[in-house]
């Protein structure tokens, strides 16, 4: 979609930050992506830097997003009512730089220690804070806390407007189908069928019939991933209200593991469709594979063919007929 992006691989080999934006939007905004250190003493440097940024961006919309590694209120920690010194320091810094939380929807807690029983800890460590100019320009904006999936942190999305996206799924043969229990039986059933006409035409008809039956094999990894994500979302929503429930926690851990394995199958699924060399390290990016598939499809077709007389055939009908004649002669000679 001609969007721009930048990332921090030059500064960090593991590179965990990617910023993507639509350059057609003419509104200038400043966005700070925050990772607060676990040590409260080290975080004081962050609070001082926020004051510098606040003075610099005072006349522009400015928003801070992500992990501050500290809560603002006692109710942002499950089963706790303690007011700690790091909490007070954080609130004092937020007031000094004149920032405020965006309206929040979704889950109450954004992080958990992925343990069960009495050792379970759930907190709101991730948030989005805006200055006065942000609320002036985007007063209807809000931040949504999504289900964490297989991570210990929940992703945040700042909503400005709703967009509807549709994605088409053209037929492709998947290598996953070859491992299905019914695959070889389907091949045998279709290959014993007989059709009138040249051998090549018979093969084409068998493949066409076979393709129709392949579409019903329930081995699409993206569908399995979607189902697992839905189940994990329901469990995590229940945990949001009962973070101490050991049974719910065990179910969440099991679904996390299943989703992690199936997500790798999903990535391999899109990698096969795009036929590209994916990064050896990094996070999954199926949208990248979707774009690569479409580019490859535009190139993966025959535009012309040389016949036996040395003439170029350029129309689709001539090329198709030449292919049929070639394979028909090939099978008849054998």
């Amino acid at each position: 979609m001609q969007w721009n992006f930048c990332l921090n691989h030059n500064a960090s080999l593991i590179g965990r930050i990617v910023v993507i934006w639509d350059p057609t939007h003419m509104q200038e905004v400043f966005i700070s992506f925050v990772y607060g250190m676990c040590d409260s003493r080290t975080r004081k440097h962050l609070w001082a830097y926020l004051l510098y940024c606040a003075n610099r961006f005072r006349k522009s919309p400015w928003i801070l997003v992500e992990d501050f590694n500290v809560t603002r209120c006692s109710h942002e920690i499950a089963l706790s009512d303690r007011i700690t010194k790091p909490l007070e320091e954080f609130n004092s810094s937020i007031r000094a730089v004149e920032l405020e939380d965006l309206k929040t929807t979704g889950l109450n807690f954004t992080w958990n220690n992925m343990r069960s029983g009495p050792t379970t800890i759930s907190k709101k460590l991730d948030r989005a804070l805006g200055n006065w100019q942000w609320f002036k320009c985007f007063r209807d904006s809000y931040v949504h806390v999504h289900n964490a999936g297989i991570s210990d942190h929940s992703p945040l999305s700042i909503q400005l407007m709703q967009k509807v996206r549709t994605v088409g799924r053209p037929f492709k043969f998947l290598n996953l189908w070859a491992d299905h229990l019914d695959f070889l039986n389907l091949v045998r059933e279709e290959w014993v069928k007989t059709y009138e006409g040249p051998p090549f035409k018979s093969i084409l008809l068998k493949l066409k019939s076979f393709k129709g039956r392949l579409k019903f094999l329930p081995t699409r990894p993206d569908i399995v991933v979607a189902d697992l994500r839905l189940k994990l979302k329901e469990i995590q929503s229940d945990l949001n209200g009962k973070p101490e429930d050991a049974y719910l926690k065990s179910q969440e851990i099991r679904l996390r593991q299943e989703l992690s394995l199936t997500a790798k199958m999903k990535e391999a699924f899109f990698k096969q469709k795009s036929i590209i060399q994916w990064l050896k390290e990094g996070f999954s990016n199926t949208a990248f594979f979707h774009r690569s598939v479409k580019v490859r499809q535009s190139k993966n077709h025959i535009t012309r063919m040389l016949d036996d007389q040395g003439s170029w055939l350029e129309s689709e009908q001539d090329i198709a007929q030449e292919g049929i004649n070639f394979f028909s002669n090939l099978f008849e000679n054998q």
Side-chain angles (χ1 to χ4, degrees):
M1 296 186 293
Q2 303 302 316
W3 284 32
N4 293 338
F5 75 95
C6 62
L7 60 163
N8 71 327
H9 275 288
N10 291 335
S12 174
L13 291 179
I14 58 176
R16 299 191 176 203
I17 302 176
V18 180
V19 184
I20 309 171
W21 69 95
D22 184 354
T24 61
H25 292 177
M26 303 307 294
Q27 174 67 53
E28 181 184 61
V29 297
F30 291 90
I31 307 176
S32 298
F33 297 90
V34 177
Y35 176 74
M37 302 300 290
C38 295
D39 181 36
S40 60
R41 292 172 296 179
T42 308
R43 280 200 301 269
K44 292 181 179 180
H45 298 290
L46 173 61
W47 308 149
Y49 187 68
L50 293 185
L51 182 60
Y52 163 77
C53 292
N55 292 326
R56 181 181 178 187
F57 306 142
R58 191 170 300 277
K59 296 182 179 181
S60 302
W62 176 45
I63 192 168
L64 294 86
V65 188
E66 272 310 326
D67 182 11
F68 290 84
N69 246 317
V70 63
T71 59
R72 291 196 66 182
C73 310
S74 59
H75 66 262
E76 293 181 349
I77 305 176
L79 306 177
S80 175
D81 56 0
R82 294 176 55 205
I83 304 296
T84 63
K85 185 176 180 180
L87 184 151
E88 292 178 338
E89 291 177 346
F90 183 34
N91 279 300
S92 176
S93 301
I94 295 304
R95 288 191 295 268
V97 297
E98 298 180 342
L99 294 170
E100 187 53 64
D101 279 288
L102 269 68
K103 176 184 177 181
T104 304
T105 62
L107 302 185
N108 297 327
F109 307 112
T110 68
W111 173 85
N112 73 86
N113 63 349
M114 303 179 73
R115 297 179 183 176
S116 58
T119 59
T120 298
I121 302 176
S122 297
K123 297 182 179 181
K124 182 178 180 178
L125 300 182
D126 309 83
R127 62 197 331 120
L129 298 163
N131 67 353
W132 297 124
Q133 290 296 328
W134 176 272
F135 286 100
K136 180 181 178 180
C137 295
F138 308 105
R139 60 183 180 181
D140 295 328
S141 63
Y142 65 94
V143 59
H144 184 76
V145 181
H146 298 268
N147 291 84
I150 60 176
S151 174
D152 58 343
H153 280 269
S154 294
L156 309 181
S157 63
I158 300 171
Q159 305 293 326
L160 300 179
M161 63 183 67
Q162 295 295 328
K163 295 183 178 180
V164 179
R165 299 182 60 190
T166 58
V167 179
R169 292 186 178 141
F171 173 80
K172 292 287 184 179
F173 180 86
L174 306 179
N175 292 338
L176 298 171
W177 283 334
D179 296 326
H180 195 277
L181 294 177
D182 296 332
F183 179 77
L184 291 179
N185 290 331
L186 291 176
V187 174
R188 294 188 186 96
E189 291 174 5
E190 293 300 328
W191 235 247
V192 297
K193 294 180 180 179
T194 58
Y195 297 91
E196 296 182 357
F200 184 66
K201 180 181 179 181
S202 177
I203 292 177
L204 290 178
L205 293 174
K206 290 179 180 181
L207 289 174
K208 183 177 180 180
S209 178
F210 183 51
K211 182 182 74 172
R213 301 187 66 178
L214 284 176
K215 293 181 179 180
F216 294 97
L217 290 182
T219 51
R220 287 283 297 271
D222 50 338
I223 295 177
V224 178
V225 167
D227 182 59
L228 288 173
R229 286 191 188 280
L230 181 60
K231 293 179 180 178
L232 183 58
K233 179 179 178 180
E234 294 174 352
I235 290 293
Q236 289 176 337
S237 296
D238 293 340
L239 269 175
N240 186 52
K242 301 178 180 178
E244 74 285 356
D245 193 306
Y247 173 76
L248 290 176
K249 195 62 184 180
S250 65
Q251 292 298 307
E252 185 200 24
I253 293 173
R254 178 184 63 81
L255 287 170
R256 282 176 184 265
Q257 294 172 344
E258 291 184 17
L259 181 56
S260 180
L261 294 174
T262 312
K264 293 180 180 179
M265 295 177 60
K266 178 184 176 182
E267 183 171 341
F269 165 72
F270 284 107
K271 181 177 179 180
Q272 177 199 342
K273 295 182 71 175
S274 59
I275 316 297
I276 63 169
Q277 180 62 45
W278 181 229
L279 299 175
K280 293 182 179 179
E281 297 180 1
F283 298 106
S284 301
N285 189 352
T286 55
F288 170 68
F289 289 133
H290 273 301
R291 293 194 296 272
S292 302
V293 168
K294 293 186 180 298
V295 172
R296 185 169 180 269
Q297 285 176 343
S298 67
K299 298 179 180 179
N300 192 23
H301 66 277
I302 300 172
T303 56
R304 60 178 185 168
M305 179 183 291
L306 192 66
D307 64 12
D308 294 337
Q309 287 73 39
S311 302
W312 285 107
L313 304 175
E314 297 188 357
S315 72
E316 293 184 1
Q317 289 183 340
D318 291 342
I319 293 174
Q321 187 59 49
E322 183 68 18
I324 292 175
N325 294 339
F326 172 79
F327 283 104
S328 295
N329 294 333
L330 179 64
F331 283 107
E332 288 175 357
N333 291 336
Q334 291 181 348

